[in-house]
Amino acid sequence: MLRIEEKNQNCIAYIEGEMTIYNAAELKDRLMPLQDGWQELEINLAKVTEIDSAGIQLLMLLKKERAEHQLSLSLTDHSNTVLDVFELMDLVSYFNDPVVLSGAKGDKHGS
């Protein structure tokens, strides 16, 4: 469900499977401690198979907390599922991460 990789002063969290109301509390408990101690936090969404409003709220909370402390948060390698929800909820500009939408979803990449 969540794999953490540390590189220098950066942390990459790989989320696999669902980001839904059924596991949002557990994900929050594991992701929130990553807020401190890392200059840059990257969340890789390539293997997210389902995301609902609870998962979106968690990502928004992480972004807000990082911004309040003037720290970086990057969402990368958005799965098609995540892209669909971001597009539906008009959240691409909110997160401000590079994504490829609509016709080119097979070539999606975050950076």
Side-chain angles (χ1 to χ4, degrees):
M1 172 191 283
L2 182 66
R3 180 173 56 89
I4 309 298
E5 185 177 300
E6 302 171 12
K7 288 185 177 179
N8 302 322
Q9 294 297 316
N10 303 330
C11 179
I12 304 172
Y14 296 87
I15 299 176
E16 298 179 14
E18 298 179 1
M19 288 187 73
T20 65
I21 193 167
Y22 302 109
N23 66 352
E26 179 183 346
L27 278 173
K28 180 181 176 187
D29 289 345
R30 297 197 54 208
L31 287 169
M32 291 307 286
L34 300 177
Q35 295 287 73
D36 299 323
W38 301 105
Q39 183 61 34
E40 193 167 312
L41 175 59
E42 175 184 328
I43 299 179
N44 183 296
L45 302 169
K47 294 187 179 181
V48 173
T49 58
E50 187 175 348
I51 187 166
D52 65 9
S53 60
I56 295 294
Q57 288 174 7
L58 177 57
L59 293 175
M60 292 174 95
L61 174 65
L62 291 167
K63 179 179 176 64
K64 179 180 175 257
E65 293 285 321
R66 297 286 294 177
E68 285 178 359
H69 294 95
Q70 300 170 337
L71 296 170
S72 172
L73 172 69
S74 300
L75 305 180
T76 61
D77 294 331
H78 307 70
S79 70
N80 286 340
T81 299
V82 172
L83 289 176
D84 288 343
V85 172
F86 277 20
E87 192 171 27
L88 177 69
M89 298 179 78
D90 197 25
L91 291 173
V92 174
S93 62
Y94 175 82
F95 287 107
N96 199 30
D97 290 298
V99 297
V100 176
L101 296 175
S102 298
K105 284 183 186 171
D107 295 330
K108 54 110 182 82
H109 292 290
S111 12

